[in-house]
Every structure is written in C-alpha cells, then in structure tokens.
Coordinates of all heavy atoms in Angstrom, one line a residue:
V1 N -1.9 -17.7 1.9 CA -1.1 -18.0 0.8 C -0.7 -16.7 0.0 O 0.4 -16.5 -0.3 CB -1.8 -19.0 -0.2 CG1 -1.0 -19.2 -1.5 CG2 -2.0 -20.3 0.5
V2 N -1.7 -15.8 -0.2 CA -1.4 -14.6 -0.9 C -0.5 -13.7 -0.1 O 0.5 -13.1 -0.7 CB -2.8 -13.8 -1.2 CG1 -2.5 -12.5 -1.8 CG2 -3.7 -14.7 -2.0
L3 N -0.7 -13.6 1.2 CA 0.3 -12.8 2.0 C 1.7 -13.4 2.0 O 2.6 -12.6 2.0 CB -0.2 -12.7 3.5 CG -1.3 -11.7 3.8 CD1 -1.8 -11.8 5.2 CD2 -0.8 -10.3 3.4
E4 N 1.8 -14.7 1.9 CA 3.2 -15.2 1.8 C 3.8 -14.8 0.5 O 5.0 -14.4 0.5 CB 3.1 -16.8 1.8 CG 4.4 -17.4 2.0 CD 5.1 -17.1 3.3 OE1 4.5 -17.0 4.3 OE2 6.4 -16.9 3.3
A5 N 3.1 -14.8 -0.6 CA 3.6 -14.3 -1.9 C 3.9 -12.8 -1.8 O 4.9 -12.3 -2.3 CB 2.6 -14.6 -3.0
V6 N 3.1 -12.0 -1.1 CA 3.3 -10.6 -0.9 C 4.6 -10.3 -0.2 O 5.4 -9.4 -0.5 CB 2.1 -9.9 -0.3 CG1 2.4 -8.5 0.2 CG2 0.9 -9.9 -1.2
R7 N 4.9 -11.2 0.8 CA 6.2 -11.0 1.5 C 7.4 -11.1 0.6 O 8.4 -10.3 0.8 CB 6.3 -12.1 2.6 CG 5.5 -11.9 3.8 CD 5.7 -13.0 4.9 NE 4.8 -12.8 5.9 CZ 3.7 -13.6 6.1 NH1 3.5 -14.6 5.4 NH2 2.9 -13.3 7.1
E8 N 7.3 -11.9 -0.4 CA 8.4 -12.0 -1.4 C 8.4 -10.9 -2.4 O 9.4 -10.4 -2.8 CB 8.3 -13.4 -2.1 CG 8.4 -14.6 -1.2 CD 9.8 -14.6 -0.5 OE1 10.8 -14.4 -1.2 OE2 9.8 -14.9 0.7
S9 N 7.2 -10.5 -2.9 CA 7.1 -9.5 -3.9 C 5.7 -8.8 -3.7 O 4.7 -9.5 -3.9 CB 7.2 -10.1 -5.3 OG 6.9 -9.2 -6.3
G10 N 5.7 -7.5 -3.4 CA 4.5 -6.8 -3.2 C 3.6 -6.8 -4.5 O 2.4 -6.8 -4.4
S11 N 4.2 -6.9 -5.6 CA 3.4 -6.8 -6.9 C 2.7 -8.2 -7.1 O 1.8 -8.2 -8.0 CB 4.3 -6.5 -8.1 OG 5.3 -7.5 -8.2
S12 N 3.0 -9.2 -6.4 CA 2.3 -10.5 -6.5 C 0.8 -10.3 -6.2 O 0.0 -11.1 -6.5 CB 2.9 -11.6 -5.7 OG 2.9 -11.3 -4.4
L13 N 0.5 -9.2 -5.5 CA -0.9 -9.0 -5.1 C -1.8 -8.7 -6.3 O -3.0 -8.9 -6.3 CB -1.0 -7.7 -4.2 CG -2.2 -7.4 -3.4 CD1 -2.7 -8.6 -2.6 CD2 -2.1 -6.2 -2.6
V14 N -1.2 -8.5 -7.5 CA -1.9 -8.3 -8.7 C -2.8 -9.5 -9.1 O -3.8 -9.4 -9.7 CB -1.0 -7.8 -9.9 CG1 -0.1 -9.0 -10.3 CG2 -1.8 -7.2 -11.0
Y15 N -2.3 -10.7 -8.6 CA -3.0 -11.9 -8.9 C -4.2 -12.2 -7.9 O -5.0 -13.1 -8.1 CB -2.1 -13.1 -8.9 CG -1.0 -12.9 -9.9 CD1 0.3 -12.6 -9.5 CD2 -1.2 -13.0 -11.2 CE1 1.3 -12.4 -10.4 CE2 -0.2 -12.8 -12.2 CZ 1.0 -12.5 -11.8 OH 2.0 -12.3 -12.7
A16 N -4.3 -11.4 -6.9 CA -5.4 -11.5 -5.9 C -6.7 -11.0 -6.6 O -6.7 -10.1 -7.5 CB -5.1 -10.8 -4.7
S17 N -7.8 -11.4 -6.1 CA -9.1 -10.9 -6.6 C -9.3 -9.4 -6.3 O -8.7 -8.9 -5.3 CB -10.2 -11.7 -5.9 OG -10.4 -11.4 -4.5
A18 N -10.1 -8.8 -7.0 CA -10.4 -7.4 -6.8 C -11.0 -7.2 -5.4 O -10.8 -6.2 -4.8 CB -11.4 -6.9 -7.9
K19 N -11.8 -8.1 -5.0 CA -12.4 -8.1 -3.7 C -11.4 -8.0 -2.6 O -11.4 -7.3 -1.6 CB -13.4 -9.2 -3.5 CG -14.1 -9.2 -2.1 CD -15.1 -10.4 -2.0 CE -15.8 -10.3 -0.7 NZ -16.7 -11.4 -0.5
L20 N -10.4 -8.9 -2.7 CA -9.3 -8.9 -1.7 C -8.4 -7.7 -1.8 O -8.0 -7.1 -0.8 CB -8.4 -10.2 -2.0 CG -7.5 -10.6 -0.9 CD1 -8.3 -10.9 0.4 CD2 -6.8 -11.9 -1.3
R21 N -8.2 -7.1 -3.0 CA -7.4 -5.9 -3.2 C -8.1 -4.7 -2.6 O -7.5 -3.6 -2.4 CB -7.0 -5.7 -4.6 CG -5.9 -6.7 -5.0 CD -5.4 -6.5 -6.4 NE -6.3 -7.1 -7.4 CZ -6.8 -6.5 -8.4 NH1 -6.5 -5.2 -8.6 NH2 -7.7 -7.0 -9.2
A22 N -9.4 -4.8 -2.4 CA -10.3 -3.7 -1.9 C -10.6 -3.9 -0.4 O -11.2 -3.1 0.2 CB -11.6 -3.6 -2.6
D23 N -10.0 -5.0 0.2 CA -10.3 -5.3 1.6 C -9.2 -4.6 2.5 O -8.0 -4.9 2.4 CB -10.2 -6.8 1.8 CG -10.5 -7.2 3.3 OD1 -9.7 -6.7 4.2 OD2 -11.4 -8.0 3.5
K24 N -9.7 -3.5 3.2 CA -8.7 -2.7 3.9 C -7.9 -3.5 4.9 O -6.7 -3.3 5.0 CB -9.5 -1.5 4.6 CG -8.5 -0.6 5.3 CD -9.2 0.6 5.9 CE -8.2 1.5 6.6 NZ -8.9 2.8 7.1
D25 N -8.5 -4.3 5.7 CA -7.7 -5.1 6.7 C -6.6 -6.0 6.0 O -5.5 -6.0 6.5 CB -8.6 -6.0 7.5 CG -9.6 -5.2 8.4 OD1 -9.2 -4.1 8.9 OD2 -10.7 -5.7 8.7
F26 N -7.0 -6.6 4.9 CA -6.0 -7.4 4.2 C -4.9 -6.6 3.6 O -3.7 -6.9 3.8 CB -6.7 -8.2 3.1 CG -5.7 -9.0 2.2 CD1 -5.2 -10.2 2.7 CD2 -5.3 -8.5 1.0 CE1 -4.3 -10.9 2.0 CE2 -4.4 -9.2 0.3 CZ -3.9 -10.4 0.7
I27 N -5.3 -5.4 3.0 CA -4.2 -4.6 2.4 C -3.3 -4.0 3.5 O -2.1 -3.9 3.3 CB -4.9 -3.5 1.5 CG1 -5.5 -4.1 0.3 CG2 -3.9 -2.4 1.1 CD1 -4.6 -4.8 -0.6
L28 N -3.9 -3.6 4.6 CA -3.0 -3.1 5.7 C -2.0 -4.1 6.1 O -0.8 -3.8 6.3 CB -3.9 -2.7 6.9 CG -4.5 -1.3 6.9 CD1 -5.5 -1.1 8.0 CD2 -3.4 -0.2 6.9
E29 N -2.5 -5.4 6.2 CA -1.5 -6.4 6.6 C -0.5 -6.6 5.5 O 0.7 -6.8 5.7 CB -2.3 -7.7 6.8 CG -1.4 -8.8 7.5 CD -2.2 -10.0 7.9 OE1 -3.4 -9.9 8.1 OE2 -1.6 -11.1 8.1
A30 N -0.9 -6.6 4.2 CA 0.0 -6.7 3.1 C 1.0 -5.6 3.0 O 2.2 -5.9 2.8 CB -0.8 -6.8 1.8
V31 N 0.6 -4.4 3.2 CA 1.6 -3.3 3.2 C 2.5 -3.3 4.4 O 3.7 -2.8 4.3 CB 1.0 -1.9 2.9 CG1 0.3 -1.8 1.6 CG2 0.1 -1.4 4.0
R32 N 2.1 -3.8 5.5 CA 3.0 -4.0 6.6 C 4.1 -5.0 6.3 O 5.2 -4.9 6.8 CB 2.2 -4.5 7.9 CG 1.4 -3.4 8.5 CD 0.7 -3.8 9.8 NE -0.1 -2.8 10.3 CZ -1.5 -2.9 10.3 NH1 -2.1 -4.0 10.0 NH2 -2.2 -1.9 10.8
E33 N 3.7 -6.0 5.5 CA 4.7 -7.0 5.1 C 5.6 -6.5 4.0 O 6.8 -6.8 4.0 CB 4.0 -8.3 4.6 CG 3.2 -9.1 5.7 CD 4.2 -9.7 6.7 OE1 5.3 -10.0 6.4 OE2 3.7 -9.8 7.9
N34 N 5.0 -5.8 3.1 CA 5.8 -5.3 1.9 C 5.1 -4.0 1.4 O 4.0 -4.1 0.8 CB 5.8 -6.4 0.8 CG 6.7 -6.0 -0.3 OD1 6.8 -4.8 -0.7 ND2 7.4 -7.0 -0.9
G35 N 5.7 -2.9 1.6 CA 5.1 -1.6 1.3 C 4.7 -1.5 -0.2 O 3.7 -0.8 -0.6
W36 N 5.4 -2.3 -1.0 CA 5.1 -2.2 -2.5 C 3.7 -2.8 -2.8 O 3.2 -2.6 -3.9 CB 6.2 -3.0 -3.3 CG 7.5 -2.3 -3.2 CD1 8.6 -2.7 -2.6 CD2 7.9 -1.1 -3.9 NE1 9.6 -1.8 -2.8 CE2 9.2 -0.8 -3.5 CE3 7.2 -0.2 -4.7 CZ2 9.9 0.4 -4.0 CZ3 7.8 1.0 -5.1 CH2 9.1 1.2 -4.8
A37 N 3.1 -3.5 -1.9 CA 1.8 -4.0 -2.1 C 0.8 -2.9 -2.4 O -0.3 -3.1 -3.1 CB 1.3 -4.8 -0.9
L38 N 1.1 -1.6 -2.0 CA 0.2 -0.5 -2.3 C -0.1 -0.4 -3.8 O -1.2 0.0 -4.2 CB 0.8 0.8 -1.7 CG 0.0 2.0 -1.9 CD1 -1.4 1.9 -1.1 CD2 0.7 3.3 -1.5
Q39 N 0.9 -0.7 -4.6 CA 0.7 -0.5 -6.1 C -0.5 -1.4 -6.6 O -1.0 -1.0 -7.7 CB 2.0 -0.8 -6.8 CG 2.4 -2.3 -6.8 CD 3.7 -2.5 -7.5 OE1 4.0 -2.0 -8.5 NE2 4.6 -3.2 -6.8
C40 N -0.8 -2.4 -5.9 CA -1.9 -3.3 -6.4 C -3.2 -3.2 -5.6 O -4.2 -3.9 -5.9 CB -1.4 -4.8 -6.3 SG 0.0 -5.1 -7.4
A41 N -3.2 -2.3 -4.6 CA -4.4 -2.1 -3.8 C -5.4 -1.4 -4.7 O -5.1 -0.8 -5.7 CB -4.1 -1.2 -2.6
S42 N -6.7 -1.4 -4.3 CA -7.7 -0.8 -5.0 C -7.5 0.7 -5.0 O -6.8 1.3 -4.1 CB -9.1 -1.1 -4.4 OG -9.2 -0.4 -3.1
V43 N -8.0 1.4 -6.0 CA -7.9 2.9 -6.1 C -8.4 3.5 -4.8 O -7.8 4.5 -4.3 CB -8.7 3.4 -7.3 CG1 -8.7 4.9 -7.3 CG2 -8.1 2.9 -8.6
E44 N -9.5 3.0 -4.2 CA -10.0 3.6 -3.0 C -9.0 3.5 -1.8 O -8.8 4.4 -1.0 CB -11.3 2.9 -2.6 CG -12.5 3.1 -3.5 CD -12.4 2.3 -4.8 OE1 -11.7 1.3 -4.9 OE2 -13.1 2.6 -5.8
L45 N -8.3 2.3 -1.8 CA -7.3 2.2 -0.7 C -6.0 2.9 -1.0 O -5.3 3.3 0.0 CB -7.1 0.7 -0.4 CG -8.3 -0.1 0.2 CD1 -8.0 -1.5 0.4 CD2 -8.7 0.6 1.5
Q46 N -5.7 3.2 -2.2 CA -4.6 4.0 -2.5 C -4.9 5.5 -2.1 O -3.9 6.3 -2.1 CB -4.2 3.9 -4.0 CG -3.6 2.6 -4.4 CD -3.4 2.5 -5.9 OE1 -4.0 3.2 -6.7 NE2 -2.7 1.5 -6.3
A47 N -6.1 5.8 -1.8 CA -6.5 7.1 -1.3 C -6.8 7.1 0.1 O -7.3 8.1 0.7 CB -7.7 7.6 -2.1
D48 N -6.6 6.0 0.8 CA -6.8 5.9 2.2 C -5.6 6.2 3.0 O -4.5 5.6 2.9 CB -7.2 4.4 2.6 CG -7.6 4.3 4.0 OD1 -6.6 4.2 4.8 OD2 -8.8 4.2 4.4
E49 N -5.7 7.3 3.9 CA -4.5 7.8 4.6 C -3.8 6.7 5.4 O -2.6 6.6 5.4 CB -4.8 9.0 5.4 CG -3.6 9.6 6.0 CD -3.9 10.9 6.8 OE1 -5.1 11.3 6.8 OE2 -2.9 11.5 7.3
E50 N -4.6 5.9 6.1 CA -3.9 4.9 7.0 C -3.1 3.9 6.2 O -2.0 3.5 6.5 CB -5.0 4.2 7.8 CG -4.5 3.2 8.8 CD -5.6 2.4 9.5 OE1 -6.8 2.6 9.2 OE2 -5.2 1.7 10.5
V51 N -3.7 3.4 5.1 CA -3.0 2.5 4.2 C -1.8 3.1 3.6 O -0.7 2.5 3.6 CB -4.0 2.0 3.1 CG1 -3.2 1.1 2.1 CG2 -5.1 1.2 3.7
V52 N -1.9 4.3 3.1 CA -0.8 5.0 2.4 C 0.3 5.2 3.4 O 1.5 4.9 3.2 CB -1.2 6.3 1.7 CG1 0.0 7.1 1.3 CG2 -2.2 6.0 0.6
R53 N 0.0 5.7 4.6 CA 1.0 6.0 5.6 C 1.7 4.7 6.0 O 3.0 4.7 6.2 CB 0.3 6.6 6.8 CG 1.3 7.1 7.9 CD 0.6 8.0 8.9 NE 0.1 9.2 8.4 CZ 0.8 10.3 8.1 NH1 2.1 10.3 8.4 NH2 0.2 11.4 7.7
C54 N 1.0 3.6 6.2 CA 1.6 2.4 6.5 C 2.6 1.9 5.4 O 3.7 1.5 5.7 CB 0.5 1.3 6.7 SG 1.2 -0.2 7.4
A55 N 2.2 2.0 4.2 CA 3.1 1.6 3.1 C 4.3 2.5 3.0 O 5.5 2.0 2.8 CB 2.3 1.7 1.7
V56 N 4.1 3.8 3.1 CA 5.3 4.7 3.0 C 6.2 4.6 4.2 O 7.5 4.7 4.0 CB 4.7 6.2 3.0 CG1 5.8 7.2 3.1 CG2 4.0 6.4 1.6
L57 N 5.7 4.2 5.4 CA 6.6 3.9 6.5 C 7.6 2.7 6.2 O 8.7 2.7 6.6 CB 5.8 3.5 7.7 CG 5.3 4.7 8.5 CD1 4.3 4.3 9.6 CD2 6.5 5.5 9.2
R58 N 7.1 1.8 5.4 CA 7.9 0.6 5.0 C 8.8 0.9 3.9 O 10.0 0.6 3.9 CB 7.0 -0.6 4.6 CG 6.1 -1.1 5.7 CD 6.8 -1.9 6.8 NE 7.3 -3.1 6.2 CZ 8.2 -3.8 6.7 NH1 8.8 -3.5 7.8 NH2 8.6 -5.0 6.1
V59 N 8.3 1.6 2.9 CA 9.1 1.9 1.6 C 8.6 3.3 1.2 O 7.5 3.5 0.6 CB 8.8 0.9 0.5 CG1 9.7 1.2 -0.7 CG2 9.1 -0.6 1.0
G60 N 9.5 4.3 1.4 CA 9.2 5.6 1.0 C 8.7 5.8 -0.4 O 7.8 6.6 -0.7
N61 N 9.3 5.1 -1.3 CA 9.0 5.3 -2.8 C 7.6 4.9 -3.1 O 7.1 5.2 -4.2 CB 10.0 4.5 -3.6 CG 11.4 5.1 -3.6 OD1 11.6 6.3 -3.3 ND2 12.4 4.3 -4.0
T62 N 6.9 4.2 -2.2 CA 5.5 3.8 -2.5 C 4.6 4.9 -2.6 O 3.5 4.8 -3.1 CB 5.0 2.7 -1.5 OG1 5.1 3.2 -0.2 CG2 5.8 1.4 -1.6
L63 N 5.0 6.1 -2.1 CA 4.2 7.3 -2.2 C 3.8 7.5 -3.7 O 2.7 8.1 -3.9 CB 4.9 8.5 -1.7 CG 4.1 9.8 -1.6 CD1 2.9 9.7 -0.8 CD2 5.0 10.9 -1.0
S64 N 4.6 7.1 -4.6 CA 4.2 7.3 -6.0 C 3.0 6.5 -6.4 O 2.4 6.8 -7.4 CB 5.4 6.9 -6.9 OG 5.7 5.5 -6.8
Y65 N 2.6 5.5 -5.7 CA 1.4 4.7 -6.0 C 0.2 5.2 -5.3 O -0.9 4.7 -5.5 CB 1.6 3.2 -5.7 CG 2.7 2.6 -6.5 CD1 3.9 2.3 -6.0 CD2 2.4 2.3 -7.9 CE1 4.9 1.8 -6.8 CE2 3.4 1.8 -8.7 CZ 4.6 1.5 -8.2 OH 5.6 1.0 -9.0
A66 N 0.4 6.2 -4.4 CA -0.8 6.7 -3.6 C -1.5 7.7 -4.4 O -1.0 8.3 -5.4 CB -0.2 7.4 -2.3
N67 N -2.7 8.0 -4.1 CA -3.5 9.0 -4.7 C -2.7 10.3 -4.7 O -2.1 10.7 -3.7 CB -4.8 9.2 -3.9 CG -5.8 10.2 -4.5 OD1 -5.5 11.4 -4.5 ND2 -6.9 9.7 -5.1
R68 N -2.9 11.1 -5.8 CA -2.1 12.3 -5.9 C -2.3 13.4 -4.8 O -1.4 14.2 -4.6 CB -2.4 13.0 -7.3 CG -1.9 12.2 -8.5 CD -2.2 13.0 -9.7 NE -1.5 12.3 -10.8 CZ -0.5 12.7 -11.5 NH1 0.1 13.8 -11.1 NH2 0.1 12.0 -12.4
T69 N -3.4 13.3 -4.1 CA -3.6 14.3 -3.1 C -2.5 14.1 -2.0 O -2.2 15.1 -1.3 CB -5.0 14.1 -2.4 OG1 -5.1 12.8 -1.9 CG2 -6.1 14.4 -3.4
F70 N -2.0 12.9 -1.8 CA -1.0 12.7 -0.8 C 0.4 13.3 -1.2 O 1.3 13.5 -0.4 CB -0.8 11.2 -0.5 CG -2.0 10.7 0.2 CD1 -2.8 9.7 -0.4 CD2 -2.4 11.1 1.5 CE1 -3.9 9.2 0.2 CE2 -3.5 10.6 2.1 CZ -4.3 9.6 1.5
H71 N 0.6 13.5 -2.5 CA 1.8 14.1 -3.0 C 2.1 15.5 -2.5 O 3.2 16.0 -2.5 CB 1.9 14.0 -4.5 CG 1.8 12.6 -5.1 ND1 2.0 12.3 -6.4 CD2 1.6 11.4 -4.5 CE1 1.9 11.0 -6.6 NE2 1.6 10.5 -5.4
A72 N 1.0 16.2 -2.1 CA 1.1 17.5 -1.6 C 1.1 17.6 0.0 O 1.2 18.6 0.6 CB 0.0 18.4 -2.1
D73 N 1.0 16.4 0.6 CA 1.0 16.3 2.0 C 2.4 16.4 2.6 O 3.2 15.4 2.5 CB 0.3 15.0 2.5 CG 0.2 14.8 4.0 OD1 1.2 15.2 4.7 OD2 -0.8 14.3 4.4
K74 N 2.8 17.5 3.1 CA 4.2 17.8 3.6 C 4.7 16.7 4.5 O 5.8 16.2 4.4 CB 4.3 19.1 4.2 CG 5.7 19.5 4.7 CD 5.7 20.9 5.3 CE 7.0 21.2 5.9 NZ 7.0 22.5 6.6
D75 N 3.9 16.3 5.5 CA 4.3 15.3 6.5 C 4.6 14.0 5.8 O 5.5 13.3 6.2 CB 3.3 15.2 7.6 CG 3.2 16.4 8.5 OD1 4.2 17.2 8.6 OD2 2.1 16.7 9.0
L76 N 3.7 13.6 4.9 CA 3.8 12.3 4.3 C 5.0 12.3 3.3 O 5.8 11.3 3.3 CB 2.6 12.0 3.5 CG 2.3 10.5 3.2 CD1 2.4 9.6 4.4 CD2 1.0 10.3 2.5
V77 N 5.2 13.4 2.6 CA 6.4 13.5 1.7 C 7.7 13.4 2.5 O 8.6 12.8 2.2 CB 6.3 14.8 0.9 CG1 7.6 15.1 0.2 CG2 5.2 14.8 -0.1
L78 N 7.7 14.1 3.7 CA 8.9 14.0 4.6 C 9.1 12.6 5.1 O 10.2 12.1 5.2 CB 8.8 15.0 5.7 CG 8.9 16.5 5.3 CD1 8.6 17.4 6.5 CD2 10.3 16.8 4.8
L79 N 8.0 11.9 5.4 CA 8.1 10.6 5.9 C 8.7 9.6 4.8 O 9.4 8.7 5.1 CB 6.7 10.1 6.3 CG 6.6 8.7 6.9 CD1 7.3 8.7 8.3 CD2 5.1 8.4 7.2
A80 N 8.3 9.9 3.5 CA 8.8 9.1 2.4 C 10.3 9.3 2.1 O 10.9 8.5 1.5 CB 7.9 9.4 1.2
A81 N 10.8 10.5 2.5 CA 12.2 10.8 2.1 C 13.2 10.0 2.8 O 13.2 9.5 3.7 CB 12.4 12.3 2.4

C-alpha cells in the first residue's frame, strides 16, 4: 500500500513508520518507483551511495536530499545534471 502511494508522490513516504523509512530494501524499491522518495528516507539511507545513486538516476534533483558528502562527488553530480 505504501509503495503504491509512493508511485503517485514520493513525499507520501513521510507517513510511513521510521522503521520502514530506515529499511534499505524498501527504500531502494521506493526510489526506483519515485526518486523523490529519497527526501523521506532515514538520514542513514540519505547517506547510502546505492540509495542515492538509484534516486538520482530517476530524478537528478533528488541529489539535494542526499547527504552533503555526495554534493562533492563529481560522478554523481554529473549523473544528476
């Protein structure tokens, strides 16, 4: 049910439990459906390269929700462009 809502709007993940927003497998599936889901992922997953890369591949602008260390990653920034 939550993934269906994420398909429509990535920010709907804000209504999911903290446990679900910290579940890497779930978040990977969510960002594959809608890159904007990264904005509601746990701080730890916003710092996870695999999750961030997956989100940025879908929607380049989601890089702004990733941990700041990724903002200096040349390859990721080019991917987001």
Side-chain angles (χ1 to χ4, degrees):
V1 173
V2 176
L3 277 176
E4 191 63 38
V6 168
R7 284 185 186 106
E8 297 298 317
S9 172
S11 63
S12 63
L13 193 56
V14 72
Y15 300 108
S17 70
K19 182 177 180 180
L20 199 53
R21 288 184 281 127
D23 181 302
K24 183 174 179 176
D25 292 331
F26 176 79
I27 293 298
L28 277 170
E29 191 170 341
V31 297
R32 283 185 189 112
E33 292 294 329
N34 187 324
W36 292 109
L38 182 63
Q39 67 184 315
C40 299
S42 69
V43 172
E44 293 79 15
L45 291 179
Q46 289 174 346
D48 182 282
E49 185 174 1
E50 182 181 10
V51 172
V52 171
R53 187 169 296 280
C54 186
V56 169
L57 278 170
R58 298 286 293 159
V59 182
N61 289 341
T62 59
L63 184 58
S64 64
Y65 295 105
N67 183 288
R68 289 182 175 255
T69 60
F70 293 113
H71 298 187
D73 182 320
K74 181 182 176 184
D75 293 332
L76 201 53
V77 169
L78 288 173
L79 186 63

